[in-house]
Protein backbone atom coordinates (compact mmCIF):
# COMPACT_ATOMS: atom_id res chain seq x y z
CA UNK A 1 0.00 0.00 0.00
CA UNK A 2 2.16 2.88 -1.29
CA UNK A 3 2.06 6.10 0.67
CA UNK A 4 4.27 9.00 1.58
CA UNK A 5 5.30 10.28 4.98
CA UNK A 6 2.45 12.77 5.11
CA UNK A 7 0.01 9.87 5.13
CA UNK A 8 1.40 8.45 8.35
CA UNK A 9 2.20 11.58 10.37
CA UNK A 10 -1.03 11.22 12.36
CA UNK A 11 0.69 8.32 14.13
CA UNK A 12 3.36 10.70 15.41
CA UNK A 13 1.35 13.89 16.00
CA UNK A 14 -1.31 13.48 18.72
CA UNK A 15 -3.26 16.50 17.52
CA UNK A 16 -3.85 14.80 14.19
CA UNK A 17 -5.15 11.52 15.64
CA UNK A 18 -8.80 11.39 14.64
CA UNK A 19 -9.09 7.64 14.76
CA UNK A 20 -8.89 5.04 12.03
CA UNK A 21 -12.10 4.58 10.03
CA UNK A 22 -13.51 1.09 10.20
CA UNK A 23 -14.43 -0.87 7.10
CA UNK A 24 -18.21 -1.45 6.92
CA UNK A 25 -19.38 -5.02 7.38
CA UNK A 26 -20.36 -6.77 4.15
CA UNK A 27 -24.06 -6.94 3.45
CA UNK A 28 -25.60 -10.36 2.89
CA UNK A 29 -28.86 -10.73 0.91
CA UNK A 30 -31.73 -11.80 3.14
CA UNK A 31 -34.16 -12.80 0.38
CA UNK A 32 -32.33 -15.90 -0.88
CA UNK A 33 -34.48 -18.97 -0.51
CA UNK A 34 -33.03 -22.47 -0.35
CA UNK A 35 -35.89 -23.85 -2.46
CA UNK A 36 -35.20 -21.67 -5.49
CA UNK A 37 -34.61 -23.80 -8.55
CA UNK A 38 -33.42 -21.14 -10.96
CA UNK A 39 -29.84 -21.28 -9.69
CA UNK A 40 -27.76 -23.77 -7.75
CA UNK A 41 -27.49 -23.08 -4.05
CA UNK A 42 -23.78 -22.95 -3.16
CA UNK A 43 -22.45 -25.05 -0.34
CA UNK A 44 -20.72 -23.11 2.41
CA UNK A 45 -17.33 -24.23 3.66
CA UNK A 46 -16.69 -23.01 7.22
CA UNK A 47 -13.77 -20.62 7.31
CA UNK A 48 -12.45 -22.37 10.41
CA UNK A 49 -11.75 -25.46 8.33
CA UNK A 50 -9.36 -23.63 6.06
CA UNK A 51 -5.67 -23.53 6.96
CA UNK A 52 -4.61 -20.04 8.02
CA UNK A 53 -2.45 -18.14 5.53
CA UNK A 54 1.24 -17.87 6.38
CA UNK A 55 2.42 -14.85 8.33
CA UNK A 56 4.01 -12.22 6.05
CA UNK A 57 7.80 -12.24 5.81
CA UNK A 58 9.56 -8.89 6.20
CA UNK A 59 13.18 -8.77 5.05
CA UNK A 60 15.58 -6.51 6.94
CA UNK A 61 18.95 -5.74 5.30
CA UNK A 62 21.20 -5.43 8.35
CA UNK A 63 24.98 -5.71 8.33
CA UNK A 64 26.81 -8.11 10.61
CA UNK A 65 28.08 -5.24 12.78
CA UNK A 66 25.03 -3.01 12.61
CA UNK A 67 24.05 -3.19 16.27
CA UNK A 68 21.76 -0.13 16.19
CA UNK A 69 19.55 -1.36 13.32
CA UNK A 70 19.44 -4.86 14.80
CA UNK A 71 18.33 -3.39 18.13
CA UNK A 72 15.62 -1.36 16.40
CA UNK A 73 14.41 -4.50 14.57
CA UNK A 74 14.32 -6.46 17.86
CA UNK A 75 12.32 -3.69 19.51
CA UNK A 76 9.90 -3.53 16.58
CA UNK A 77 9.26 -7.25 16.97
CA UNK A 78 8.57 -6.78 20.70
CA UNK A 79 6.22 -3.86 20.02
CA UNK A 80 4.36 -5.99 17.45
CA UNK A 81 3.59 -8.50 20.19
CA UNK A 82 2.50 -5.68 22.48
CA UNK A 83 -0.05 -4.73 19.82
CA UNK A 84 -1.45 -8.25 19.86
CA UNK A 85 0.41 -9.81 16.96
CA UNK A 86 2.93 -12.62 16.81
CA UNK A 87 6.53 -11.75 16.01
CA UNK A 88 9.57 -13.89 15.24
CA UNK A 89 13.05 -12.74 14.25
CA UNK A 90 14.90 -15.24 12.08
CA UNK A 91 18.62 -14.77 11.41
CA UNK A 92 21.39 -16.86 9.83
CA UNK A 93 23.19 -19.20 12.18
CA UNK A 94 26.37 -17.17 11.74
CA UNK A 95 24.68 -14.49 13.90
CA UNK A 96 24.50 -16.81 16.88
CA UNK A 97 26.51 -15.42 19.78
CA UNK A 98 27.08 -12.06 18.09
CA UNK A 99 26.30 -8.70 19.65
CA UNK A 100 23.39 -8.20 17.24
CA UNK A 101 20.82 -10.36 18.97
CA UNK A 102 19.75 -11.75 22.34
CA UNK A 103 19.86 -15.47 23.10
CA UNK A 104 17.49 -17.61 21.00
CA UNK A 105 14.09 -18.56 22.34
CA UNK A 106 11.03 -16.77 23.64
CA UNK A 107 11.73 -13.22 24.75
CA UNK A 108 9.83 -10.23 26.14
CA UNK A 109 6.05 -10.29 25.64
CA UNK A 110 6.24 -13.56 23.72
CA UNK A 111 8.46 -12.39 20.86
CA UNK A 112 10.88 -15.02 19.54
CA UNK A 113 14.49 -15.06 18.38
CA UNK A 114 15.54 -17.96 16.15
CA UNK A 115 18.56 -18.89 14.05
CA UNK A 116 18.78 -21.19 11.04
CA UNK A 117 21.77 -22.74 9.20
CA UNK A 118 21.15 -20.88 5.94
CA UNK A 119 24.17 -20.13 3.71
CA UNK A 120 22.34 -17.97 1.17
CA UNK A 121 19.17 -16.00 0.44
CA UNK A 122 17.24 -18.87 -1.10
CA UNK A 123 17.70 -21.22 1.85
CA UNK A 124 17.06 -18.41 4.34
CA UNK A 125 13.73 -17.57 2.72
CA UNK A 126 12.71 -21.22 2.49
CA UNK A 127 13.31 -21.50 6.23
CA UNK A 128 11.35 -18.27 6.77
CA UNK A 129 8.43 -19.56 4.68
CA UNK A 130 8.29 -22.80 6.67
CA UNK A 131 8.38 -20.82 9.90
CA UNK A 132 5.68 -18.42 8.67
CA UNK A 133 3.35 -21.32 7.84
CA UNK A 134 4.03 -23.05 11.17
CA UNK A 135 3.54 -19.96 13.32
CA UNK A 136 0.34 -19.01 11.47
CA UNK A 137 -1.44 -21.88 13.25
CA UNK A 138 -1.04 -20.02 16.56
CA UNK A 139 -1.13 -16.42 15.29
CA UNK A 140 -4.82 -15.73 15.77
CA UNK A 141 -4.36 -11.99 15.26
CA UNK A 142 -1.67 -12.16 12.60
CA UNK A 143 1.92 -11.09 12.92
CA UNK A 144 5.25 -10.83 11.12
CA UNK A 145 8.31 -12.99 10.54
CA UNK A 146 11.22 -10.52 10.61
CA UNK A 147 14.24 -11.87 8.68
CA UNK A 148 17.74 -10.45 9.04
CA UNK A 149 19.38 -10.58 5.62
CA UNK A 150 23.07 -9.88 5.03
CA UNK A 151 22.94 -7.08 2.43
CA UNK A 152 25.33 -8.87 0.08
CA UNK A 153 22.97 -11.84 -0.15
CA UNK A 154 20.32 -9.60 -1.67
CA UNK A 155 22.43 -8.74 -4.71
CA UNK A 156 24.15 -12.11 -5.17
CA UNK A 157 23.66 -13.15 -8.79
CA UNK A 158 22.82 -16.68 -7.62
CA UNK A 159 19.93 -15.47 -5.44
CA UNK A 160 16.38 -16.35 -6.58
CA UNK A 161 14.71 -13.37 -8.21
CA UNK A 162 11.27 -13.70 -6.63
CA UNK A 163 12.11 -14.73 -3.07
CA UNK A 164 11.82 -11.21 -1.67
CA UNK A 165 8.39 -9.61 -1.69
CA UNK A 166 8.50 -7.16 1.23
CA UNK A 167 11.57 -5.37 2.53
CA UNK A 168 12.17 -2.68 5.14
CA UNK A 169 15.13 -0.31 4.98
CA UNK A 170 16.22 1.41 8.19
CA UNK A 171 18.13 4.57 7.33
CA UNK A 172 19.15 7.61 9.28
CA UNK A 173 18.56 11.06 7.85
CA UNK A 174 22.30 11.44 7.30
CA UNK A 175 23.17 12.14 3.65
CA UNK A 176 25.68 9.28 3.53
CA UNK A 177 23.20 6.75 4.93
CA UNK A 178 20.55 7.89 2.46
CA UNK A 179 23.05 7.44 -0.37
CA UNK A 180 23.78 3.90 0.78
CA UNK A 181 20.06 3.17 1.02
CA UNK A 182 19.56 4.43 -2.54
CA UNK A 183 22.44 2.30 -3.83
CA UNK A 184 20.96 -0.77 -2.15
CA UNK A 185 17.52 0.05 -3.56
CA UNK A 186 18.97 0.25 -7.07
CA UNK A 187 20.57 -3.16 -6.66
CA UNK A 188 17.40 -4.59 -5.16
CA UNK A 189 15.18 -3.47 -8.01
CA UNK A 190 17.65 -4.84 -10.55
CA UNK A 191 17.87 -8.23 -8.82
CA UNK A 192 14.27 -8.50 -7.56
CA UNK A 193 11.89 -6.60 -9.88
CA UNK A 194 8.73 -7.36 -7.87
CA UNK A 195 10.04 -6.28 -4.47
CA UNK A 196 8.10 -3.82 -2.31
CA UNK A 197 10.45 -1.57 -0.37
CA UNK A 198 9.55 0.42 2.71
CA UNK A 199 11.62 2.93 4.64
CA UNK A 200 11.72 3.90 8.30
CA UNK A 201 13.86 6.94 9.04
CA UNK A 202 15.70 6.72 12.35
CA UNK A 203 17.98 9.14 14.14
CA UNK A 204 16.00 12.19 13.02
CA UNK A 205 15.91 15.18 15.36
CA UNK A 206 12.64 16.57 14.00
CA UNK A 207 9.68 15.46 11.92
CA UNK A 208 10.71 17.94 9.22
CA UNK A 209 14.15 16.33 9.02
CA UNK A 210 12.61 12.87 8.70
CA UNK A 211 10.12 14.08 6.09
CA UNK A 212 12.90 15.61 4.01
CA UNK A 213 14.96 12.41 4.20
CA UNK A 214 12.06 10.23 3.13
CA UNK A 215 10.93 12.55 0.34
CA UNK A 216 14.46 12.74 -1.07
CA UNK A 217 14.85 8.96 -1.24
CA UNK A 218 11.27 8.45 -2.46
CA UNK A 219 11.70 10.98 -5.27
CA UNK A 220 14.97 9.48 -6.48
CA UNK A 221 13.59 5.94 -6.26
CA UNK A 222 10.57 6.82 -8.36
CA UNK A 223 12.43 8.94 -10.90
CA UNK A 224 15.34 6.56 -11.42
CA UNK A 225 13.81 3.16 -10.73
CA UNK A 226 10.05 3.53 -11.08
CA UNK A 227 9.73 2.30 -7.48
CA UNK A 228 7.14 3.82 -5.16
CA UNK A 229 8.71 3.76 -1.72
CA UNK A 230 6.44 2.93 1.22
CA UNK A 231 6.74 5.08 4.32
CA UNK A 232 6.82 3.35 7.68
CA UNK A 233 7.29 6.47 9.72
CA UNK A 234 10.20 7.61 11.83
CA UNK A 235 12.19 6.75 14.93
CA UNK A 236 13.35 9.79 16.83
CA UNK A 237 16.95 10.36 17.86
CA UNK A 238 16.72 9.55 21.54
CA UNK A 239 19.46 8.81 24.03
CA UNK A 240 17.23 6.15 25.57
CA UNK A 241 17.69 4.01 22.44
CA UNK A 242 21.42 3.72 23.10
CA UNK A 243 20.94 3.25 26.84
CA UNK A 244 18.54 0.38 26.20
CA UNK A 245 20.98 -1.19 23.71
CA UNK A 246 23.79 -0.99 26.26
CA UNK A 247 21.55 -2.56 28.93
CA UNK A 248 20.23 -5.17 26.45
CA UNK A 249 16.67 -4.39 27.48
CA UNK A 250 13.68 -3.49 25.29
CA UNK A 251 13.23 0.26 25.07
CA UNK A 252 9.51 0.07 25.78
CA UNK A 253 10.13 -1.81 29.03
CA UNK A 254 13.25 0.03 30.15
CA UNK A 255 12.01 3.54 29.31
CA UNK A 256 8.24 3.35 28.68
CA UNK A 257 7.74 7.13 28.81
CA UNK A 258 10.57 8.03 26.44
CA UNK A 259 9.76 9.48 22.99
CA UNK A 260 11.60 6.54 21.43
CA UNK A 261 9.15 4.10 23.03
CA UNK A 262 6.12 5.73 21.47
CA UNK A 263 7.87 6.07 18.12
CA UNK A 264 8.69 2.35 18.09
CA UNK A 265 5.07 1.50 18.89
CA UNK A 266 3.87 3.73 16.05
CA UNK A 267 6.23 2.20 13.48
CA UNK A 268 5.33 -1.31 14.67
CA UNK A 269 1.65 -0.46 14.27
CA UNK A 270 2.19 0.61 10.66
CA UNK A 271 4.03 -2.63 9.90
CA UNK A 272 1.50 -4.79 11.74
CA UNK A 273 -1.49 -3.20 10.00
CA UNK A 274 0.21 -3.60 6.63
CA UNK A 275 1.05 -7.23 7.44
CA UNK A 276 -2.58 -7.97 8.28
CA UNK A 277 -3.80 -6.32 5.09
CA UNK A 278 -1.43 -8.52 3.09
CA UNK A 279 -2.95 -11.64 4.61
CA UNK A 280 -6.58 -10.56 4.71
CA UNK A 281 -6.71 -8.42 1.58
Amino acid sequence: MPRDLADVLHYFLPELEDGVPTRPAPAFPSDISADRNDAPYPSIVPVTNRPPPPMPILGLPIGERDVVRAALAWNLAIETTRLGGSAVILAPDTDRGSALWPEPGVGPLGSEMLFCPAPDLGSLYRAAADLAAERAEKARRGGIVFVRIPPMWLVDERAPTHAIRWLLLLSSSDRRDLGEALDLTRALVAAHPDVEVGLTVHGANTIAEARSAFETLARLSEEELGLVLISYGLLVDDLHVYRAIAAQRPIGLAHPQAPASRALTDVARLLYEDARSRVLG
Side-chain angles (χ1 to χ4, degrees), residues 47-56 84-88 112 128-145 279:
V47 174
T48 54
N49 289 346
R50 301 173 185 170
M55 289 166 54
S86 297
V88 186
E112 289 186 80
D130 291 343
L131 181 63
E134 175 189 332
R135 288 296 188 272
E137 296 288 343
K138 301 178 181 178
R140 300 299 181 186
R141 298 183 60 187
I144 302 172
V145 175
V279 172

Side-chain angles (χ1 to χ4, degrees), residues 222-234:
E222 187 165 11
E223 290 176 354
E224 296 184 18
L225 310 171
L227 176 72
V228 178
L229 201 62
I230 306 170
S231 174
Y232 290 111
L234 63 100

Side-chain angles (χ1 to χ4, degrees), residues 126-247:
R126 284 192 294 272
D130 291 343
L131 181 63
E134 175 189 332
R135 288 296 188 272
E137 296 288 343
K138 301 178 181 178
R140 300 299 181 186
R141 298 183 60 187
I144 302 172
V145 175
F146 296 84
V147 181
R148 198 290 274 197
I149 309 174
M152 292 304 298
W153 287 13
L154 290 166
V155 296
D156 190 322
E157 61 183 12
R158 298 166 296 179
T161 57
H162 297 289
I164 306 171
R165 298 300 176 88
W166 188 27
L167 201 78
L168 175 66
L169 300 179
L170 296 167
S171 175
S172 77
S173 54
D174 179 78
R175 183 181 297 273
R176 179 179 175 180
D177 279 0
L178 290 174
E180 291 178 353
L182 181 60
D183 289 342
L184 179 57
T185 304
R186 289 192 186 103
L188 280 170
V189 172
H192 309 278
D194 299 329
V195 68
E196 293 182 58
V197 181
L199 173 68
T200 293
V201 179
H202 68 87
N205 292 306
T206 64
I207 290 177
E209 182 181 316
R211 184 203 297 271
S212 176
F214 174 82
E215 290 179 347
T216 297
L217 195 58
R219 176 177 54 80
L220 293 173
S221 296
E222 187 165 11
E223 290 176 354
E224 296 184 18
L225 310 171
L227 176 72
V228 178
L229 201 62
I230 306 170
S231 174
Y232 290 111
L234 63 100
L235 297 170
V236 294
D237 187 8
D238 192 325
L239 183 60
H240 289 101
V241 173
Y242 304 101
R243 288 176 176 169
I245 292 173

Side-chain angles (χ1 to χ4, degrees), residues 74-84 251-253 261 264-265 268:
W74 180 51
N75 279 275
L76 287 173
I78 293 169
E79 292 304 316
T80 299
T81 64
R82 190 197 297 274
L83 293 168
I251 299 169
L253 299 182
S261 298
L264 280 161
T265 301

